[in-house]
């Protein structure tokens, strides 16, 4: 953050040599800089409108934003990493949900608790507050959340003899089980269709979209305190859960390398897909589709769903955290959160946002189902400073496991165990090297 001399002050200084005394007519202006990834046109327009609104009403605190191109998926992260090294971070920068703990643990961001009241915090959905809290302190705050649910092509499922009315009627108290998902996938797999889609991508999409299956089975990837992976991601529950997933691929019910927009393009009958798919399907699908709650483990029937999204944090290099905090508190008020969420077509983090006209579409239908999950079953990804190391190791292991199942047309649980033991070793080395006390 830089202090700049106001125009009135500059004018006064310019004529100071010709006058005995010079009154000062304006205080210094505090400039706040923001970095966030580039986004769709509606969001870029939102940013321009909001920053202009703030700057007009707060001449003493002026805000500017730099949008970082993410055509290279690592460009944004690399820019942050470079700025950390050179102590040249912006005052506020956006952080992907699972990385909040990393930045907090390394002292790259500062706590935000002083800038949000208890009433504010209670208005944010629990999943968002949990994601953005590390070691008991709030380190980031975001306007939107995400989730994953089970989508189905009603037209095709009816042809295959699946009762879509039953799927439409499911509730959080009576969600689909993994056994039922497998049965539907088997019925709907033909030469033209695979029964289901389970691979969002071969990176962060794997731990993000699949974690609830592990939680529903009884074990998360990592311990609650973020310190241990041994006995968690390589547990019997985790191996069994992964074997169920790999079996879908081994039997040809799901593709290890799905085509782009596999569900939208009519290549799969069902899909474990993100909440953002709703807007895409509404605009582009040429078939009747439905969505129901995230599937549960057939034995425990415990309902869990994914969550997480980008959030804003104040950096260690910010010279006036109070000014940045004041702006951030305004940026994340109910009306701004609602208008941002509506523009980006994602669920809002503040419960009060759903009472606004901007979020009226979330009162019923598919969007209301997503909100129901966020308010009742959402669990953030593990809060550990070693999450990035875990994520890449897990994604590699899952890709290997799925590829092995596809090649051999069977599931090798010993191989799954071996792959996950390697994930544990990778995580443990990173955590004990950099974060263990």
């Amino acid at each position: 953050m830089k202090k700049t001399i106001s125009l009135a002050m500059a004018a006064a200084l310019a004529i100071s040599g010709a006058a005995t005394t010079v009154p000062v007519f304006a205080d210094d202006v505090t400039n706040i800089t923001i970095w966030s990834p580039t986004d769709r046109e509606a969001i870029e327009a939102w940013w321009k409108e909001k920053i202009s609104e703030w700057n007009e009403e707060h001449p003493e605190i002026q805000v500017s934003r730099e949008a970082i191109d993410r055509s290279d998926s690592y460009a944004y992260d690399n820019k942050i990493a470079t700025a950390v090294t050179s102590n040249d971070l912006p005052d506020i920068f956006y952080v992907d949900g699972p990385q909040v703990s990393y930045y907090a643990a390394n002292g790259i961001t500062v706590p935000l608790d002083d800038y949000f009241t208890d009433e504010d915090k209670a208005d944010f959905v629990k999943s968002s507050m949990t994601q953005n809290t590390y070691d008991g302190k709030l380190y980031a705050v975001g306007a939107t959340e995400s989730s994953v649910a089970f989508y189905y092509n009603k037209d095709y499922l009816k042809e295959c003899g699946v009762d879509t009315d039953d799927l439409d009627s499911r509730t959080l108290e009576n969600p689909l089980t993994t056994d039922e998902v497998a049965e539907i996938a088997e019925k709907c797999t033909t030469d033209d269709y695979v029964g289901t889609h389970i691979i969002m991508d071969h990176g962060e999409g794997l731990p993000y979209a699949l974690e609830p299956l592990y939680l529903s089975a009884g074990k998360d990837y990592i311990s609650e305190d973020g310190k241990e992976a041994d006995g968690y991601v390589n547990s019997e529950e985790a191996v069994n859960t992964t074997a169920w997933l790999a079996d879908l691929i081994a039997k040809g019910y799901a593709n290890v390398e799905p085509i782009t927009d596999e569900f939208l393009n009519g290549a799969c009958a069902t899909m474990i897909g993100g909440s953002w798919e709703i807007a895409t399907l509404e605009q582009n699908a040429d078939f009747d589709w439905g969505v129901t709650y995230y599937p549960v483990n057939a034995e425990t029937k415990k309902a869990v769903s994914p969550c997480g999204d980008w959030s804003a944090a104040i950096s260690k290099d910010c010279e006036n955290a109070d000014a940045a905090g004041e702006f951030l508190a305004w940026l994340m008020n109910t009306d701004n959160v609602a208008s941002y969420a509506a523009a980006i077509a994602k669920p809002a983090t503040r419960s009060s946002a759903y009472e606004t006209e901007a979020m009226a579409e979330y009162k019923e239908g598919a969007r209301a189902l997503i909100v129901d999950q966020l308010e009742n079953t959402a669990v953030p990804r593990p809060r550990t400073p070693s999450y990035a190391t875990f994520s890449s190791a897990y994604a590699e292991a899952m890709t290997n496991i799925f590829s092995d199942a596809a090649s051999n047309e069977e599931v090798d649980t010993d191989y799954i165990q071996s792959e996950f033991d390697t994930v544990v070793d990778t995580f443990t080395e990173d955590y004990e090297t950099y974060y263990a006390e």
Side-chain angles (χ1 to χ4, degrees):
M1 182 179 301
K2 304 292 190 295
K3 292 280 191 175
T4 58
I5 300 175
S6 68
L7 293 177
M9 175 72 79
L13 289 174
I15 63 172
S16 61
T20 304
T21 60
V22 179
V24 176
F25 297 103
D27 295 328
D28 288 354
V29 174
T30 298
N31 289 322
I32 295 176
T33 56
I34 303 172
W35 286 357
S36 66
T38 53
D39 215 308
R40 64 181 66 179
E41 186 176 341
I43 291 302
E44 293 302 319
W46 182 91
W47 271 111
K48 290 179 181 178
E49 177 186 341
K50 291 303 172 182
I51 289 177
S52 177
E53 180 182 339
W54 170 271
N55 286 342
E56 184 176 345
E57 296 177 0
H58 299 81
E60 77 287 1
I61 303 175
Q62 294 291 286
V63 176
S64 62
R65 168 179 172 260
E66 180 179 351
I68 313 300
D69 186 10
R70 293 188 70 208
S71 55
D72 173 356
S73 61
Y74 293 104
Y76 182 82
D77 293 332
N78 289 341
K79 188 173 179 68
I80 296 293
T82 300
V84 168
T85 303
S86 60
N87 296 314
D88 195 28
L89 285 164
D91 303 297
I92 295 171
F93 67 100
Y94 271 66
V95 182
D96 197 8
Q99 297 303 321
V100 171
S101 296
Y102 168 79
Y103 288 114
N106 285 282
I108 298 168
T109 54
V110 301
L112 306 180
D113 298 273
D114 290 345
Y115 311 119
F116 293 88
T117 66
D118 290 342
E119 184 178 0
D120 283 327
K121 293 176 184 178
D123 189 40
F124 284 91
V125 292
K126 183 179 178 182
S127 58
S128 181
M129 284 289 98
T130 301
Q131 170 201 268
N132 294 324
T133 298
Y134 179 76
D135 199 22
K137 296 178 181 179
L138 183 67
Y139 278 91
V141 63
T144 54
E145 261 286 16
S146 67
S147 191
V148 173
F150 187 77
Y151 295 78
Y152 45 98
N153 182 327
K154 291 187 181 184
D155 294 340
Y156 183 65
L157 263 62
K158 288 175 183 177
E159 291 180 18
C160 297
V162 177
D163 185 353
T164 58
D165 290 337
D166 173 57
L167 298 185
D168 292 343
S169 69
R170 294 302 181 109
T171 65
L172 272 182
E173 290 69 37
N174 182 34
L176 283 174
T177 68
T178 48
D179 284 350
E180 290 173 308
V181 169
E183 288 170 8
I184 294 171
E186 181 179 9
K187 281 185 178 181
C188 298
T189 297
T190 67
D191 291 340
D192 298 320
Y193 275 81
V194 289
T196 194
H197 170 104
I198 59 173
I199 298 177
M200 188 173 289
D201 60 44
H202 286 286
E204 180 57 26
L206 284 168
Y208 166 68
L210 301 179
E211 183 183 18
L213 293 170
Y214 293 78
L215 287 163
S216 186
K219 283 289 180 73
D220 200 351
Y221 298 136
I222 296 169
S223 61
E224 188 173 355
D225 62 11
K227 299 178 180 180
E228 298 286 343
D230 192 20
Y232 292 87
V233 73
N234 62 344
S235 66
E236 180 181 357
E237 294 90 339
V239 170
N240 290 340
T241 298
T242 306
W244 178 82
L245 288 163
D247 190 57
L248 295 173
I249 290 176
K251 291 177 177 175
Y253 301 162
N255 286 320
V256 69
E257 294 291 349
I259 66 169
T260 302
D261 294 328
E262 189 174 40
F263 183 73
L264 177 64
N265 287 322
C268 64
T270 66
M271 169 180 68
I272 292 178
S275 50
W276 54 88
E277 300 286 0
I278 292 172
T280 300
L281 290 166
E282 287 174 340
Q283 295 171 13
N284 302 293
D286 59 1
F287 55 86
D288 191 14
W289 58 275
V291 60
T292 190
Y293 296 92
Y294 195 100
V296 298
N297 179 274
E299 295 181 6
T300 70
K301 295 182 172 59
K302 179 182 178 181
V304 186
S305 58
C307 60
D309 206 358
W310 289 80
S311 298
I314 296 177
S315 80
K316 66 179 179 61
D317 297 334
C318 180
E319 295 177 4
N320 191 336
D322 288 343
E326 182 182 347
F327 170 74
L328 206 51
W330 174 84
L331 190 70
M332 298 297 170
N333 69 32
T334 294
D335 288 338
N336 288 339
V337 163
S339 61
Y340 181 90
I344 202 170
K346 288 183 177 181
T349 51
R350 295 192 75 134
S351 297
S352 57
Y354 295 102
E355 302 305 317
T356 68
E357 185 177 348
M359 298 298 288
E361 290 182 327
Y362 286 80
K363 290 291 187 181
E364 58 185 12
R367 285 180 172 82
L369 181 146
I370 294 299
V371 174
D372 196 16
Q373 285 196 157
L374 286 171
E375 292 180 343
N376 294 285
T377 63
V379 177
R381 279 157 283 182
R383 288 176 294 154
T384 173
S386 292
Y387 182 81
T389 297
F390 165 79
S391 175
S392 60
Y394 172 85
E396 181 179 355
M398 291 297 281
T399 297
N400 292 341
I401 291 165
F402 288 159
S403 297
D404 180 74
S407 298
N408 297 316
E409 298 183 355
E410 64 179 9
V411 177
D412 184 345
T413 55
D414 289 338
Y415 181 64
I416 295 174
Q417 185 72 62
S418 174
E419 285 290 308
F420 280 171
D421 286 343
T422 299
V423 174
V424 168
D425 291 342
T426 302
F427 171 87
T428 302
E429 180 181 4
D430 185 83
Y431 186 85
E432 292 187 349
T433 299
Y434 298 107
Y435 305 108
E437 296 177 358

